[in-house]
Amino acid sequence: MKSSPVPPLFRPWFSGRPAPAYLLSGDGAGLADLVAELWTGRFLDEGATAELVRWTPADLERESPEAFFRTPSFFFRFRVFVLPDLAEVKKAPREAILAYLCAPDPSVVLVLPCTERNVARAYSAVAGVKAMAPKEELVVSALAGFAVATVRGAGKEFPSVAAEFLVRWVGLDYSRLKEEIGKLLSFAGDRTEIGEEEVREVCVAGGAVDPFVLARKLEDRDMKGCLSMLRKFAAGAETADYHGLVGAIAWSVRKRLVARATTLSPERGGEILAALSRIDRGMKGESGLSPEQLFEIQLLKLLG
């Protein structure tokens, strides 16, 4: 198995021997599975045996993390563990992981996603832990690059603008992106290129709400239409879906601003993007509101 190319964002992490743990916080938390797969692929490329294990919060409560990580494997030279978001892990397992990292096993690599800043700070202070909190644009670039490489590996072209559009719609989540790429490749069949239209048809059209129609209604201050679409969307949406909706609306607005041949003024576009930024920050823990509440509050302000 040949591993995927390492995105520029992560090349410093793959320039030498593996660290005991890699911490991805903030917008980078959704890249944990990508880092884990890259390390597993590298070990296999080098002829070593390796396994990739994904743990849930329940696994961490059921098992003793420190004892489990230190138990030798008779089948694999390296073991790569992707842990759940540390913000969702209880205090006792978190402390056990910290204790383990003070004297880690050299055959074990931990990949630690964390969306809570204070929790991430405790882990980043541990000697030997490689930590990163990349900005949104760097995460988008890494995911879009992965998408382009994957589609090209299947013998098809995938323009970077279409790949970025896909990432903006899916959200900053590597696992969800892989699923959507799989759908696109199945849909494409014998086509030699996948573009924005295919992404719209396969990945967007299946949703309850078209984010591009919603973006236009925001531009036009159509309060009734916007709120109707949002409530329809909320009926079947999960938190990750709201992140995707934010990204897709923002992408649509930016594209129309760049085109200039539209009725969207820079002032109105800026207002919409600022509101989306506030929604995004709120969903990352800066408010006690649900994603639906955040959206509705900000939409009402935009439409008032």
Side-chain angles (χ1 to χ4, degrees):
M1 164 181 145
K2 184 68 176 175
S3 61
S4 300
V6 177
L9 177 65
F10 294 127
R11 284 175 189 164
W13 281 4
F14 288 82
S15 61
R17 298 175 60 82
Y22 295 90
L23 173 68
L24 288 150
S25 58
D27 288 330
L31 299 176
D33 279 304
L34 173 58
V35 171
E37 289 183 11
L38 287 170
W39 270 115
T40 305
R42 172 170 159 175
F43 294 141
L44 295 174
D45 288 347
E46 293 174 347
T49 54
E51 72 168 340
L52 173 56
V53 182
R54 293 178 173 87
W55 274 27
T56 66
D59 293 328
L60 287 170
E61 291 182 41
R62 185 172 55 250
E63 304 283 354
S64 167
E66 190 169 5
F68 196 94
F69 299 150
R70 296 191 192 285
T71 301
S73 170
F74 297 103
F75 304 103
F76 300 100
R77 170 68 182 84
F78 292 102
R79 290 180 295 159
V80 180
F81 292 88
V82 183
L83 301 193
D85 185 346
L86 294 173
E88 300 175 1
V89 175
K90 292 184 177 179
K91 183 178 179 181
R94 286 208 309 259
E95 291 179 345
I97 296 166
L98 282 171
Y100 161 79
L101 288 172
C102 291
D105 187 303
S107 69
V108 170
V109 174
L110 303 185
V111 183
L112 312 170
C114 186
T115 55
E116 173 56 52
R117 187 179 304 171
N118 291 334
V119 175
R121 190 177 296 121
Y123 285 83
S124 63
V126 177
V129 173
K130 302 290 187 182
M132 183 185 297
K135 299 295 185 182
E136 177 183 345
E137 292 306 317
L138 291 175
V139 178
V140 170
S141 177
L143 289 171
F146 164 79
V148 169
T150 301
V151 173
R152 284 181 177 169
K156 304 179 190 302
E157 286 301 310
F158 194 28
S160 58
V161 66
E164 181 180 341
F165 170 56
L166 175 62
V167 172
R168 295 288 185 184
W169 169 241
V170 171
L172 307 182
D173 187 310
Y174 170 72
S175 297
R176 291 190 71 196
L177 180 65
K178 279 183 68 177
E179 291 178 9
E180 296 303 315
I181 292 172
K183 292 179 190 177
L184 281 170
L185 290 174
S186 296
F187 172 81
D190 295 331
R191 301 183 195 189
T192 59
E193 180 173 331
I194 295 175
E196 184 181 321
E197 287 307 312
E198 286 75 20
V199 175
R200 287 176 181 267
E201 186 171 354
V202 176
C203 304
V204 177
V209 167
D210 186 330
F212 311 102
V213 174
L214 181 54
R216 290 297 297 272
K217 290 185 180 296
L218 282 172
E219 295 170 22
D220 298 337
R221 299 181 186 272
D222 180 353
M223 179 178 290
K224 183 178 179 180
C226 282
L227 293 180
S228 174
M229 292 185 75
L230 176 62
R231 286 162 185 164
K232 181 181 178 183
F233 177 83
E238 299 179 355
T239 299
D241 298 320
Y242 284 96
H243 285 288
L245 187 60
V246 168
I249 296 173
W251 189 92
S252 176
V253 171
R254 290 191 187 103
K255 187 174 182 182
R256 286 171 60 77
L257 286 173
V258 170
R260 294 187 180 179
T262 71
T263 57
L264 177 63
S265 69
E267 292 75 18
R268 183 59 178 167
E271 290 174 356
I272 296 172
L273 292 174
L276 293 172
S277 179
R278 289 192 293 271
I279 293 170
D280 185 61
R281 290 198 304 272
M283 289 193 295
K284 290 172 181 173
E286 295 185 15
S287 80
L289 302 175
S290 70
E292 182 181 1
Q293 290 172 322
L294 285 165
F295 254 97
E296 191 154 325
I297 289 169
Q298 294 301 326
L299 289 191
L300 288 171
K301 289 180 179 179
L302 275 175
L303 298 166

